[in-house]
Amino acid sequence: MLRISLEQWRMFHAVVEFGGFNQASQGVHKSQSSIHNAVRKIEASLGVKLFTIEGRKTVLTEAGEMIHRRSDYLLQEAKKVEAIGETLSQGIETHLRIAVDEIFPRTILYQALEQVSTQFPLVQIELNETILGGAIELLENDEAEMAIAPSSSKVGFSESLCHITFVAVASPNHPLSQTDRELNLEDLKSYRQIVVRDSSQSSKQSRASEGWLKAEQRWTVSHLYTSIDMICSGLGFAWLPLNLIENELKNGHLQRLKLSQLAQRTTQLFLSFKDGDCLGPVAQCLLSELRKSCLNLASPEAT
């Protein structure tokens, strides 16, 4: 059984916050006697002196400073419990699971998540980063409330969210980059292509190799950033999302290939969820932020 109530801890913190018993009385609208009694109760229960008087100032003792730090965590946790109770009573989700393809611009994703967190600071967000069919698979298996993927969902609602531009690139030191003439797709087949594996468990071989040119050499990796790193190191070529490699192109670690065709490709991304009526305020807020943020992304005609 706890010997000190939360209200007594609040009175102790009020004295520290307002700088004295009289000021705390006015600040929290309690009588001085009730505040004095609360502090004396804590001191008697713990066997320590919390305050000392220096001139006209009420100052924490060394023990009081330590107790203040520890009890502040206790009060903050109590506030969180109350906020969670209020959240539950209003039907607000306590967590949100999102599956997002790795090609989606991270700046837009982070800004949208931050806006949601600002409005709903207690919500726990679980982000699953996927490739190709992985996001839709998580959505259809009820392991995510919404998905951003290059394919639409067959069991829910999907809407076009944005278009992502891919460009053919290699390291400046790669033989393909050092060729003066214009390249064709047959030229590429003699060199190693870096392919990113579909993260869905049920992916077919054809889908897992999407974008593969039947190059004589192929390395398959699980993450886009592994592919970017390999290509910067001169280990192969690939079509990569322009939004993820802008810095590498600017600093000269990557170079666009001079292809006569398909030097640039565009992939459509879809925003999918099973039932809009079942989405809570947090999910609805994220949907709104994503739609608003993606309005300015380039369409295929603009690239």
Side-chain angles (χ1 to χ4, degrees):
M1 187 71 178
L2 294 176
R3 293 175 291 171
I4 303 168
S5 68
L6 285 175
E7 183 64 17
Q8 289 166 340
W9 284 122
R10 288 191 178 101
M11 295 303 98
F12 165 54
H13 277 256
V15 176
V16 177
E17 179 183 353
F18 293 101
F21 288 88
N22 182 46
Q23 298 92 318
S25 173
Q26 298 175 24
V28 299
H29 308 292
K30 295 279 188 178
S31 67
Q32 282 195 53
S33 60
S34 64
I35 295 176
H36 273 287
N37 288 336
V39 172
R40 281 198 293 266
K41 170 68 174 176
I42 296 173
E43 290 178 328
S45 297
L46 300 180
V48 296
K49 184 73 173 175
L50 298 176
F51 293 104
T52 184
I53 305 299
E54 296 181 1
R56 296 184 178 181
K57 295 183 178 179
T58 303
V59 181
L60 281 169
T61 64
E62 186 176 344
E65 290 179 353
M66 180 179 292
I67 296 298
H68 181 261
R69 288 195 302 271
R70 295 285 185 169
S71 58
D72 181 65
Y73 176 79
L74 176 66
L75 290 177
Q76 292 302 322
E77 288 300 306
K79 289 179 182 178
K80 289 179 183 178
V81 171
E82 292 175 357
I84 289 172
E86 183 178 353
T87 293
L88 292 172
S89 70
Q90 295 175 359
I92 300 174
E93 310 99 302
T94 57
H95 69 279
L96 180 63
R97 300 170 300 171
I98 315 153
V100 181
D101 196 281
E102 287 189 3
I103 68 174
F104 185 70
R106 294 193 173 203
T107 301
I108 291 178
L109 176 63
Y110 297 160
Q111 289 175 347
L113 293 176
E114 178 60 24
Q115 288 296 323
V116 171
S117 185
T118 299
Q119 295 187 50
F120 305 96
L122 295 178
V123 68
Q124 296 183 21
I125 294 175
E126 181 181 331
L127 177 64
N128 283 292
E129 297 170 284
T130 61
I131 297 291
L132 294 172
I136 293 300
E137 182 177 74
L138 290 174
L139 177 70
E140 294 178 350
N141 290 342
D142 294 320
E143 296 178 59
E145 279 72 55
M146 68 177 66
I148 298 176
S151 58
S152 57
S153 173
K154 297 179 181 179
V155 298
F157 176 81
S158 295
E159 61 183 76
S160 176
L161 183 61
C162 62
H163 292 82
I164 302 297
T165 299
F166 285 70
V167 291
V169 294
S171 163
N173 298 322
H174 193 278
L176 288 171
S177 299
Q178 297 178 346
T179 303
D180 293 331
R181 65 176 176 82
E182 196 172 51
L183 300 168
N184 57 48
L185 296 181
E186 288 300 317
D187 292 321
L188 302 185
K189 290 183 179 180
S190 298
Y191 296 92
R192 182 185 300 119
Q193 183 178 0
I194 309 298
V195 179
V196 183
R197 179 185 297 108
D198 191 326
S199 63
S200 65
Q201 297 299 312
S202 58
S203 62
K204 304 295 185 183
Q205 180 63 32
S206 59
R207 179 151 193 196
S209 303
E210 188 171 313
W212 183 37
L213 288 178
K214 304 299 181 183
E216 294 176 4
Q217 299 181 61
R218 177 182 67 166
W219 285 4
T220 304
V221 299
S222 299
H223 296 283
L224 269 169
Y225 279 90
T226 304
S227 174
I228 294 172
D229 189 48
M230 284 183 170
I231 297 168
C232 286
S233 300
L235 299 176
F237 75 92
W239 278 264
L240 294 174
L242 183 58
N243 72 84
L244 295 185
I245 59 170
E246 289 177 337
N247 289 334
E248 285 76 8
L249 289 171
K250 288 179 182 178
N251 60 32
H253 291 162
L254 288 178
Q255 182 175 307
R256 292 197 191 200
L257 296 179
K258 294 178 289 187
L259 283 172
S260 58
Q261 56 180 319
L262 294 180
Q264 182 170 296
R265 299 173 173 176
T266 300
T267 294
Q268 185 175 17
L269 284 181
F270 295 88
L271 178 61
S272 301
F273 46 89
K274 280 196 171 182
D275 187 345
D277 293 335
C278 294
L279 294 178
V282 178
Q284 293 287 358
C285 178
L286 180 57
L287 285 176
S288 176
E289 291 296 330
L290 289 170
R291 289 164 175 158
K292 182 170 59 178
S293 299
C294 287
L295 287 176
N296 296 325
L297 284 187
S299 64
E301 291 76 14
T303 57

PDB file of all heavy atoms in Angstrom, residues 4 16 40 49 64 70 94 116 121 130 160 176 218 222 243 246 254 261 281 289 292:
ATOM      1  N   ILE A   4       2.078   7.507   0.222  1.00  0.00           N
ATOM      2  CA  ILE A   4       1.974   8.884  -0.262  1.00  0.00           C
ATOM      3  C   ILE A   4       1.060   8.912  -1.487  1.00  0.00           C
ATOM      4  O   ILE A   4       1.245   8.137  -2.428  1.00  0.00           O
ATOM      5  CB  ILE A   4       3.363   9.434  -0.631  1.00  0.00           C
ATOM      6  CG1 ILE A   4       4.299   9.340   0.572  1.00  0.00           C
ATOM      7  CG2 ILE A   4       3.265  10.875  -1.124  1.00  0.00           C
ATOM      8  CD1 ILE A   4       5.751   9.589   0.232  1.00  0.00           C
ATOM      9  N   VAL A  16       7.798  23.518  -5.374  1.00  0.00           N
ATOM     10  CA  VAL A  16       9.012  23.678  -6.176  1.00  0.00           C
ATOM     11  C   VAL A  16       8.744  24.568  -7.382  1.00  0.00           C
ATOM     12  O   VAL A  16       9.517  25.488  -7.683  1.00  0.00           O
ATOM     13  CB  VAL A  16       9.539  22.304  -6.643  1.00  0.00           C
ATOM     14  CG1 VAL A  16      10.765  22.482  -7.532  1.00  0.00           C
ATOM     15  CG2 VAL A  16       9.849  21.415  -5.447  1.00  0.00           C
ATOM     16  N   ARG A  40       4.684  17.720   4.805  1.00  0.00           N
ATOM     17  CA  ARG A  40       5.073  17.077   6.071  1.00  0.00           C
ATOM     18  C   ARG A  40       4.781  15.578   6.031  1.00  0.00           C
ATOM     19  O   ARG A  40       5.538  14.773   6.574  1.00  0.00           O
ATOM     20  CB  ARG A  40       4.333  17.737   7.248  1.00  0.00           C
ATOM     21  CG  ARG A  40       4.956  19.052   7.669  1.00  0.00           C
ATOM     22  CD  ARG A  40       4.484  19.434   9.069  1.00  0.00           C
ATOM     23  NE  ARG A  40       3.055  19.740   9.072  1.00  0.00           N
ATOM     24  CZ  ARG A  40       2.559  20.968   8.944  1.00  0.00           C
ATOM     25  NH1 ARG A  40       3.370  22.013   8.785  1.00  0.00           N
ATOM     26  NH2 ARG A  40       1.264  21.175   8.960  1.00  0.00           N
ATOM     27  N   LYS A  49      14.209  15.368   4.982  1.00  0.00           N
ATOM     28  CA  LYS A  49      13.819  16.770   4.933  1.00  0.00           C
ATOM     29  C   LYS A  49      13.854  17.213   3.481  1.00  0.00           C
ATOM     30  O   LYS A  49      14.882  17.084   2.803  1.00  0.00           O
ATOM     31  CB  LYS A  49      14.793  17.614   5.765  1.00  0.00           C
ATOM     32  CG  LYS A  49      14.442  19.081   5.876  1.00  0.00           C
ATOM     33  CD  LYS A  49      13.257  19.300   6.799  1.00  0.00           C
ATOM     34  CE  LYS A  49      13.038  20.809   7.028  1.00  0.00           C
ATOM     35  NZ  LYS A  49      11.813  21.041   7.833  1.00  0.00           N
ATOM     36  N   GLY A  64      15.793  16.404  -1.200  1.00  0.00           N
ATOM     37  CA  GLY A  64      14.593  16.899  -1.868  1.00  0.00           C
ATOM     38  C   GLY A  64      14.750  16.954  -3.370  1.00  0.00           C
ATOM     39  O   GLY A  64      13.808  16.665  -4.119  1.00  0.00           O
ATOM     40  N   ARG A  70      12.728  12.001  -9.058  1.00  0.00           N
ATOM     41  CA  ARG A  70      12.079  10.688  -9.132  1.00  0.00           C
ATOM     42  C   ARG A  70      10.558  10.805  -9.171  1.00  0.00           C
ATOM     43  O   ARG A  70       9.880  10.109  -9.929  1.00  0.00           O
ATOM     44  CB  ARG A  70      12.498   9.842  -7.922  1.00  0.00           C
ATOM     45  CG  ARG A  70      13.977   9.492  -7.892  1.00  0.00           C
ATOM     46  CD  ARG A  70      14.299   8.407  -8.898  1.00  0.00           C
ATOM     47  NE  ARG A  70      15.690   7.983  -8.806  1.00  0.00           N
ATOM     48  CZ  ARG A  70      16.174   6.922  -9.413  1.00  0.00           C
ATOM     49  NH1 ARG A  70      15.394   6.173 -10.150  1.00  0.00           N
ATOM     50  NH2 ARG A  70      17.449   6.603  -9.292  1.00  0.00           N
ATOM     51  N   THR A  94      -4.916   3.656 -29.882  1.00  0.00           N
ATOM     52  CA  THR A  94      -3.699   3.778 -29.091  1.00  0.00           C
ATOM     53  C   THR A  94      -2.472   3.414 -29.911  1.00  0.00           C
ATOM     54  O   THR A  94      -1.354   3.747 -29.536  1.00  0.00           O
ATOM     55  CB  THR A  94      -3.758   2.863 -27.855  1.00  0.00           C
ATOM     56  OG1 THR A  94      -3.970   1.511 -28.287  1.00  0.00           O
ATOM     57  CG2 THR A  94      -4.887   3.280 -26.922  1.00  0.00           C
ATOM     58  N   VAL A 116       0.737  13.822 -37.305  1.00  0.00           N
ATOM     59  CA  VAL A 116      -0.159  12.930 -36.557  1.00  0.00           C
ATOM     60  C   VAL A 116       0.253  12.871 -35.098  1.00  0.00           C
ATOM     61  O   VAL A 116      -0.584  12.954 -34.183  1.00  0.00           O
ATOM     62  CB  VAL A 116      -0.138  11.516 -37.179  1.00  0.00           C
ATOM     63  CG1 VAL A 116      -0.880  10.523 -36.281  1.00  0.00           C
ATOM     64  CG2 VAL A 116      -0.777  11.540 -38.566  1.00  0.00           C
ATOM     65  N   PRO A 121      -0.312  12.718 -29.430  1.00  0.00           N
ATOM     66  CA  PRO A 121       1.039  12.413 -28.932  1.00  0.00           C
ATOM     67  C   PRO A 121       1.195  11.052 -28.273  1.00  0.00           C
ATOM     68  O   PRO A 121       2.310  10.555 -28.149  1.00  0.00           O
ATOM     69  CB  PRO A 121       1.303  13.544 -27.922  1.00  0.00           C
ATOM     70  CG  PRO A 121      -0.055  14.050 -27.545  1.00  0.00           C
ATOM     71  CD  PRO A 121      -0.903  13.879 -28.751  1.00  0.00           C
ATOM     72  N   THR A 130       8.612  -1.954 -46.743  1.00  0.00           N
ATOM     73  CA  THR A 130       8.434  -3.128 -47.594  1.00  0.00           C
ATOM     74  C   THR A 130       8.918  -2.852 -49.018  1.00  0.00           C
ATOM     75  O   THR A 130       9.248  -1.719 -49.373  1.00  0.00           O
ATOM     76  CB  THR A 130       6.955  -3.538 -47.642  1.00  0.00           C
ATOM     77  OG1 THR A 130       6.195  -2.446 -48.202  1.00  0.00           O
ATOM     78  CG2 THR A 130       6.425  -3.845 -46.251  1.00  0.00           C
ATOM     79  N   SER A 160      -5.069   6.261 -56.000  1.00  0.00           N
ATOM     80  CA  SER A 160      -3.770   6.692 -56.494  1.00  0.00           C
ATOM     81  C   SER A 160      -3.229   7.775 -55.569  1.00  0.00           C
ATOM     82  O   SER A 160      -3.920   8.760 -55.269  1.00  0.00           O
ATOM     83  CB  SER A 160      -3.896   7.222 -57.921  1.00  0.00           C
ATOM     84  OG  SER A 160      -2.652   7.714 -58.371  1.00  0.00           O
ATOM     85  N   LEU A 176      29.807   1.328 -67.933  1.00  0.00           N
ATOM     86  CA  LEU A 176      28.634   1.878 -68.610  1.00  0.00           C
ATOM     87  C   LEU A 176      28.619   3.401 -68.568  1.00  0.00           C
ATOM     88  O   LEU A 176      28.118   4.055 -69.494  1.00  0.00           O
ATOM     89  CB  LEU A 176      27.356   1.324 -67.981  1.00  0.00           C
ATOM     90  CG  LEU A 176      27.029  -0.139 -68.255  1.00  0.00           C
ATOM     91  CD1 LEU A 176      25.856  -0.602 -67.395  1.00  0.00           C
ATOM     92  CD2 LEU A 176      26.716  -0.361 -69.739  1.00  0.00           C
ATOM     93  N   ARG A 218      23.319 -11.060 -62.027  1.00  0.00           N
ATOM     94  CA  ARG A 218      22.304 -10.391 -61.215  1.00  0.00           C
ATOM     95  C   ARG A 218      22.608 -10.615 -59.751  1.00  0.00           C
ATOM     96  O   ARG A 218      22.869 -11.751 -59.328  1.00  0.00           O
ATOM     97  CB  ARG A 218      20.899 -10.914 -61.536  1.00  0.00           C
ATOM     98  CG  ARG A 218      19.815 -10.277 -60.648  1.00  0.00           C
ATOM     99  CD  ARG A 218      18.437 -10.838 -60.941  1.00  0.00           C
ATOM    100  NE  ARG A 218      18.311 -12.237 -60.559  1.00  0.00           N
ATOM    101  CZ  ARG A 218      17.149 -12.884 -60.459  1.00  0.00           C
ATOM    102  NH1 ARG A 218      16.026 -12.257 -60.739  1.00  0.00           N
ATOM    103  NH2 ARG A 218      17.120 -14.147 -60.105  1.00  0.00           N
ATOM    104  N   SER A 222      17.750  -7.182 -50.389  1.00  0.00           N
ATOM    105  CA  SER A 222      16.467  -7.047 -49.705  1.00  0.00           C
ATOM    106  C   SER A 222      16.034  -5.608 -49.459  1.00  0.00           C
ATOM    107  O   SER A 222      14.878  -5.363 -49.132  1.00  0.00           O
ATOM    108  CB  SER A 222      16.518  -7.775 -48.352  1.00  0.00           C
ATOM    109  OG  SER A 222      16.767  -9.148 -48.529  1.00  0.00           O
ATOM    110  N   ASN A 243      13.974  10.207 -55.978  1.00  0.00           N
ATOM    111  CA  ASN A 243      13.874  10.907 -54.687  1.00  0.00           C
ATOM    112  C   ASN A 243      14.843  10.370 -53.639  1.00  0.00           C
ATOM    113  O   ASN A 243      15.160  11.071 -52.684  1.00  0.00           O
ATOM    114  CB  ASN A 243      12.438  10.871 -54.156  1.00  0.00           C
ATOM    115  CG  ASN A 243      12.024   9.496 -53.662  1.00  0.00           C
ATOM    116  OD1 ASN A 243      12.289   9.098 -52.530  1.00  0.00           O
ATOM    117  ND2 ASN A 243      11.361   8.728 -54.526  1.00  0.00           N
ATOM    118  N   GLU A 246      19.005  11.668 -54.919  1.00  0.00           N
ATOM    119  CA  GLU A 246      19.316  13.034 -55.343  1.00  0.00           C
ATOM    120  C   GLU A 246      20.678  13.485 -54.819  1.00  0.00           C
ATOM    121  O   GLU A 246      21.457  14.112 -55.534  1.00  0.00           O
ATOM    122  CB  GLU A 246      18.210  13.985 -54.888  1.00  0.00           C
ATOM    123  CG  GLU A 246      16.910  13.795 -55.667  1.00  0.00           C
ATOM    124  CD  GLU A 246      15.797  14.681 -55.163  1.00  0.00           C
ATOM    125  OE1 GLU A 246      15.863  15.108 -53.989  1.00  0.00           O
ATOM    126  OE2 GLU A 246      14.874  14.964 -55.948  1.00  0.00           O
ATOM    127  N   LEU A 254      26.856   8.833 -57.986  1.00  0.00           N
ATOM    128  CA  LEU A 254      26.069   8.125 -58.996  1.00  0.00           C
ATOM    129  C   LEU A 254      25.971   9.002 -60.233  1.00  0.00           C
ATOM    130  O   LEU A 254      26.035  10.236 -60.159  1.00  0.00           O
ATOM    131  CB  LEU A 254      24.668   7.793 -58.480  1.00  0.00           C
ATOM    132  CG  LEU A 254      24.527   6.693 -57.418  1.00  0.00           C
ATOM    133  CD1 LEU A 254      23.071   6.560 -57.006  1.00  0.00           C
ATOM    134  CD2 LEU A 254      25.068   5.367 -57.934  1.00  0.00           C
ATOM    135  N   GLN A 261      16.577   4.556 -74.687  1.00  0.00           N
ATOM    136  CA  GLN A 261      15.186   4.328 -74.289  1.00  0.00           C
ATOM    137  C   GLN A 261      15.147   3.838 -72.840  1.00  0.00           C
ATOM    138  O   GLN A 261      16.101   3.249 -72.345  1.00  0.00           O
ATOM    139  CB  GLN A 261      14.524   3.295 -75.201  1.00  0.00           C
ATOM    140  CG  GLN A 261      15.258   1.960 -75.266  1.00  0.00           C
ATOM    141  CD  GLN A 261      14.569   0.967 -76.180  1.00  0.00           C
ATOM    142  OE1 GLN A 261      13.349   0.863 -76.195  1.00  0.00           O
ATOM    143  NE2 GLN A 261      15.371   0.222 -76.960  1.00  0.00           N
ATOM    144  N   PRO A 281      -9.734   8.137 -35.657  1.00  0.00           N
ATOM    145  CA  PRO A 281      -9.265   9.511 -35.896  1.00  0.00           C
ATOM    146  C   PRO A 281      -7.783   9.605 -36.243  1.00  0.00           C
ATOM    147  O   PRO A 281      -7.395  10.445 -37.045  1.00  0.00           O
ATOM    148  CB  PRO A 281      -9.568  10.210 -34.559  1.00  0.00           C
ATOM    149  CG  PRO A 281     -10.657   9.394 -33.937  1.00  0.00           C
ATOM    150  CD  PRO A 281     -10.403   7.991 -34.356  1.00  0.00           C
ATOM    151  N   GLU A 289      -3.107  13.851 -44.103  1.00  0.00           N
ATOM    152  CA  GLU A 289      -1.766  14.432 -44.240  1.00  0.00           C
ATOM    153  C   GLU A 289      -1.046  13.889 -45.465  1.00  0.00           C
ATOM    154  O   GLU A 289      -0.369  14.624 -46.187  1.00  0.00           O
ATOM    155  CB  GLU A 289      -0.947  14.164 -42.976  1.00  0.00           C
ATOM    156  CG  GLU A 289      -1.415  14.921 -41.746  1.00  0.00           C
ATOM    157  CD  GLU A 289      -1.287  16.428 -41.892  1.00  0.00           C
ATOM    158  OE1 GLU A 289      -0.367  16.880 -42.624  1.00  0.00           O
ATOM    159  OE2 GLU A 289      -2.101  17.153 -41.312  1.00  0.00           O
ATOM    160  N   LYS A 292      -2.619  15.349 -48.699  1.00  0.00           N
ATOM    161  CA  LYS A 292      -2.252  16.756 -48.847  1.00  0.00           C
ATOM    162  C   LYS A 292      -0.796  16.903 -49.265  1.00  0.00           C
ATOM    163  O   LYS A 292      -0.475  17.703 -50.145  1.00  0.00           O
ATOM    164  CB  LYS A 292      -2.502  17.486 -47.518  1.00  0.00           C
ATOM    165  CG  LYS A 292      -2.198  18.968 -47.534  1.00  0.00           C
ATOM    166  CD  LYS A 292      -2.701  19.637 -46.267  1.00  0.00           C
ATOM    167  CE  LYS A 292      -2.077  19.020 -45.033  1.00  0.00           C
ATOM    168  NZ  LYS A 292      -2.518  19.689 -43.780  1.00  0.00           N
TER     169      LYS A 292
END
